[in-house]
Amino acid sequence: MSIIGIIGSGAIGTAFATTLARAGIAATISNSRGPDSLKEQVHALGSSIKAGTREQAARADIVLVAVNWGKLPAALAGLPDWDNRIIIDANNPIEAPLFKPVDLKGRVSSEVFADLMPGARVVKAFNHLRAEILASDPKADGGRRVLFYSGNDNAAKAEVAALIDRIGFVGIDLGSLAVGGKLAQFPGGPLPNQNLVKVG
Ligand SMILES: NC(=O)c1ccc[n+]([C@@H]2O[C@H](COP(=O)([O-])OP(=O)(O)OC[C@H]3O[C@@H](n4cnc5c(N)ncnc54)[C@H](OP(=O)(O)O)[C@@H]3O)[C@@H](O)[C@H]2O)c1
């Protein structure tokens, strides 16, 4: 079983940790302020989730990054080589409070994100639903809630697909970052906020 790290303990990082905790999967969650600031949060999440430093979280086999777009360069700076590990990009190129889309010069946000993490195998996932919905029970309306994923490395996608299945969602492969990343990207794609349930 892969070790999981989380960089960003806000709405999405915590929602992801909640889905892992529900399935009893161990993970280390981190933020910019250090593990002491996360004591109450990890206590509420349950015993499988530990607080760590950004560096500790970044050492995991699979690392989910959920940080405000403009803070990504700082959050990812100075970390050890990614060395072919799997990074889940849960980010969207837009920021509160203005919600002005970032000018990506025509590129897909996950490709811009991937440039910040040379040597990582980037899979885009966990970014298309609002955090409260992501955190809620994936068993809904007689079926299982859908999560989309995309990426350029099929083996990395298979591992993320297995994780999505293990935490109780139905994963749908959207293809490459250029194609699938764009479909699920907010703003710009048609899939964000589509809260879909697969029945049967
Ligand atoms: N909120 C949603 O419903 C939603 C839905 C889909 C996608 N997204 C995307 O997910 C990403 C995160 O959004 P969010 O709503 O979770 O944001 P958020 O609640 O503001 O949390 C952002 C997190 O990033 C951490 N962070 C900032 N700078 C850092 C650094 N240098 N090192 C380590 N951690 C750092 C913050 O830690 P500190 O507080 O310690 O600084 C905080 O835990 C964004 O790209 C957003 O577009 C959000």
Side-chain angles (χ1 to χ4, degrees):
M1 176 68 196
S2 298
I3 296 172
I4 298 184
I6 306 170
I7 299 179
S9 62
I12 286 290
T14 301
F16 178 64
T18 303
T19 68
L20 299 179
R22 193 183 288 119
I25 298 174
T28 299
I29 189 165
S30 68
N31 62 11
S32 73
R33 287 163 293 145
D36 281 351
S37 69
L38 287 164
K39 271 186 188 154
E40 281 179 26
Q41 202 170 326
V42 292
H43 181 71
L45 284 163
S47 60
S48 75
I49 310 297
K50 309 273 180 248
T53 62
R54 191 178 66 110
E55 290 77 8
Q56 286 166 335
R59 271 186 223 123
D61 305 316
I62 298 180
V63 182
L64 178 130
V65 179
V67 170
N68 326 81
W69 185 264
K71 294 181 178 168
L72 281 169
L76 300 173
L79 293 171
D81 283 352
W82 294 103
D83 207 14
N84 224 26
R85 282 173 300 120
I86 297 171
I87 310 300
I88 302 176
D89 170 20
N91 306 284
N92 282 319
I94 191 159
E95 273 190 81
L98 295 179
F99 294 105
K100 186 173 170 238
V102 175
D103 181 4
L104 299 169
K105 316 275 183 233
R107 299 182 72 203
V108 172
S109 71
S110 273
E111 294 180 330
V112 176
F113 173 85
D115 286 351
L116 297 171
M117 336 199 52
R121 292 181 291 160
V122 174
V123 176
K124 176 94 176 169
F126 296 95
N127 73 300
H128 97 281
L129 292 174
R130 287 204 325 273
E132 334 57 287
I133 296 175
L134 177 63
S136 65
D137 191 340
K139 284 198 237 59
D141 300 324
R144 289 193 294 153
R145 204 180 311 287
V146 167
L147 291 180
F148 301 109
Y149 60 94
S150 55
N152 299 337
D153 184 290
N154 285 336
K157 279 201 293 191
E159 285 205 44
V160 173
L163 178 64
I164 287 173
D165 183 62
R166 188 149 173 235
I167 61 177
F169 291 82
V170 172
I172 296 183
D173 183 355
L174 298 176
S176 65
L177 289 182
V179 173
K182 192 165 188 181
L183 287 170
Q185 180 175 309
F186 178 78
L191 295 177
N193 291 320
Q194 298 297 334
N195 181 10
L196 308 179
V197 169
K198 184 176 182 210
V199 179

